[in-house]
Amino acid sequence: MTTTTTLSPAPVAAPSDLFAHFADLPDPRKRPHECDHLLIDIISIAILAVICGADEITALETFGQARQEWLQTFLALPHGIPSHDTFGRVLARLSPREFERCFRRWVASIARLTAGEVVAIDGKTLRRSHTRGQGQGPLALVSAWAQANRLTLGQYQVAADSNEITAVPELLRLLALKGCIVTVDALNTQKDTAAAIRAQGADYVLALKANHGLLYQAVQDLCTAVEENRTAHLPFATHQTLDGEHGRIETRRYLSVAAPDYLPGFAEWQELVSVGKVEATREVGEKVSVETRYYLTSLAVDAPRLAHAVRGHWSVENSCHWVLDVVFGEDHCRVRTGHAAENFALLRRLANSLLQQEKTAKVGIANKRFKAALDQRYLLKVLNPPSSQ
């Protein structure tokens, strides 16, 4: 007679203390002690669900129902899994500022920004978060993305009657950026932005375009004069990089020049030290294109450092915004009631940051989400980035 022994799978541990950072989140419900579901349970399930592929409110309940047995091992769930209506109401009423405060506390617990790390500030519009019948336009957010750490440091909503220019300094005031290099696009190249960055003990690299009129022309003329050897005793440095793949060759030439005090408005730009030029030549077959960009910066004359900052800025598009749209479906999401759009956006950024931190699975973010949904042990790896272990 043959005896068969069935081995039970090893128990899956509870998640890390990630959720503890949201424990003091103010409950937006009028009488939370009379509610069927605890706020921390709702937030915890939402975070886990978005990591595992939930891109809209109904999917939060679906995830909870599918994983209820496991969730009950570390969440109270006094009345089971909340309904999608409950998730929707809570996210619509929850204070985005308080939610973001808890998020930043979590970021501080897992990330240490090193000196010279590039932090890219950029705006993004959630295109389908509008409600035409109520005259509500799409939600616009500005976010800070740490290139080396590959995570969002914080986000701030652009007021409906304003634009990114006023929101960026507000976001900067919330962040600890000492020793970092903060980069912004040409829209946010503003004197107040430069001052806000320096007030945080960080350096700035600000893209400069023709809308700055006389200053742009003066920087352009200065760089041309340096290249033509028409300046004397003015410190400058150069650097060149060459990249090529899939039949494309891209050469970038960097020029860093000490900023002379005769530049228009020189004194109005907080601690302006140097200006930069980047000439990018792209060759694809016989087609050649050249793009030239200019920058204002508080960095000392240092072309390789300028190159590091300029290239680092694009990580916010490639590793954050592109991923949010293509993998998390942010631009197609119709979550829009109350504060729900902004709060769900923060859930996506938290999930993307965690998935970017996880390095053991050599696959893209979409497949990491799929793997986390299938394998709770892998989900625990995502919830416990190396820096927090």
Side-chain angles (χ1 to χ4, degrees):
M1 181 177 177
T2 302
T3 301
T4 302
T5 302
T6 302
L7 298 178
S8 299
V12 179
S16 68
D17 62 354
L18 162 65
F19 306 132
H21 295 288
F22 298 88
D24 65 347
L25 189 60
D27 198 316
R29 296 170 293 183
K30 290 183 178 180
R31 291 183 292 275
H33 61 284
E34 297 178 6
C35 295
D36 289 341
H37 305 286
L38 303 179
L39 179 63
I40 190 61
D41 288 357
I42 294 170
I43 297 302
S44 299
I45 295 171
I47 291 171
L48 292 167
V50 174
I51 292 171
C52 292
D55 291 336
E56 42 82 26
I57 298 292
T58 303
L60 304 182
E61 179 186 357
T62 303
F63 171 84
Q65 295 289 353
R67 290 286 182 264
Q68 183 169 355
E69 184 177 350
W70 176 58
L71 293 169
Q72 285 175 329
T73 65
F74 58 90
L75 297 179
L77 301 179
H79 293 89
I81 301 300
S83 69
H84 64 272
D85 286 333
T86 297
F87 280 111
R89 284 193 298 269
V90 169
L91 289 175
R93 297 174 185 175
L94 190 66
S95 165
R97 295 283 72 78
E98 290 294 331
F99 198 22
E100 206 267 345
R101 173 186 62 81
C102 296
F103 172 83
R104 284 187 282 109
R105 183 168 57 194
W106 166 73
V107 169
S109 75
I110 69 161
R112 296 294 180 269
L113 301 184
T114 57
E117 176 161 1
V118 176
V119 174
I121 306 289
D122 200 17
K124 186 178 186 303
T125 299
L126 283 61
R127 301 191 183 281
R128 297 201 67 195
S129 60
H130 60 82
T131 305
R132 288 197 182 96
Q134 298 176 10
Q136 175 182 313
L139 176 69
L141 300 168
V142 290
S143 300
W145 174 259
Q147 179 215 6
N149 277 281
R150 299 179 72 83
L151 55 77
T152 296
L153 301 178
Q155 73 175 27
Y156 197 90
Q157 181 181 357
V158 177
D161 58 350
S162 187
N163 55 38
E164 289 181 32
I165 293 172
T166 58
V168 168
E170 295 298 326
L171 173 61
L172 288 167
R173 293 186 186 101
L174 299 174
L175 305 176
L177 299 171
K178 186 175 182 179
C180 294
I181 301 172
V182 178
T183 62
V184 303
D185 59 14
L187 173 65
N188 291 300
T189 296
Q190 306 290 331
K191 300 179 181 73
D192 287 346
T193 300
I197 293 170
R198 293 302 293 150
Q200 295 294 69
D203 281 298
Y204 59 79
V205 174
L206 314 177
L208 184 67
K209 287 192 174 181
N211 61 320
H212 279 85
L214 293 176
L215 177 58
Y216 175 83
Q217 187 63 53
V219 170
Q220 189 178 48
D221 292 344
L222 173 64
C223 291
T224 299
V226 170
E227 291 170 328
E228 295 177 353
N229 199 27
R230 292 189 284 108
T231 58
H233 310 299
L234 189 64
F236 72 92
T238 60
H239 180 63
Q240 180 172 306
T241 61
L242 180 66
D243 297 310
E245 60 180 359
H246 307 302
R248 172 189 59 81
I249 300 175
E250 190 156 359
T251 305
R252 294 182 180 87
R253 298 178 178 86
Y254 299 86
L255 173 65
S256 176
V257 184
D261 59 9
Y262 61 73
L263 289 176
F266 174 85
E268 299 172 11
W269 294 91
Q270 188 78 32
E271 299 179 49
L272 174 61
V273 174
S274 64
V275 300
K277 175 183 178 180
V278 181
E279 183 181 84
T281 302
R282 184 184 179 95
E283 302 174 55
V284 182
E286 296 183 356
K287 185 178 180 180
V288 179
S289 59
V290 180
E291 181 182 12
T292 304
R293 300 186 296 273
Y294 296 92
Y295 298 88
L296 303 178
T297 172
S298 62
L299 296 173
V301 174
D302 187 332
R305 200 174 181 203
L306 173 67
H308 170 66
V310 170
R311 293 299 301 275
H313 179 78
W314 296 108
S315 66
V316 69
E317 294 291 346
N318 300 331
S319 299
C320 185
H321 292 173
W322 184 89
V323 173
L324 291 172
D325 280 340
V326 175
V327 178
F328 290 83
E330 182 163 87
D331 259 0
H332 297 287
C333 183
R334 291 294 286 152
V335 173
R336 59 195 187 279
T337 303
H339 299 305
E342 186 174 356
N343 288 325
F344 211 99
L346 192 65
L347 287 171
R348 293 189 203 96
R349 282 151 181 77
L350 191 157
N352 181 45
S353 297
L354 282 167
L355 291 161
Q356 295 272 359
Q357 300 282 302
E358 207 298 297
K359 304 295 185 184
T360 64
K362 307 302 181 184
V363 294
I365 300 299
N367 275 313
K368 286 182 179 181
R369 294 183 86 191
F370 187 44
K371 184 176 176 67
L374 296 174
D375 184 351
Q376 286 168 198
R377 289 174 178 80
Y378 179 69
L379 175 55
L380 288 174
K381 286 185 178 181
V382 174
L383 290 168
N384 288 275
S387 54
S388 68
Q389 293 175 350

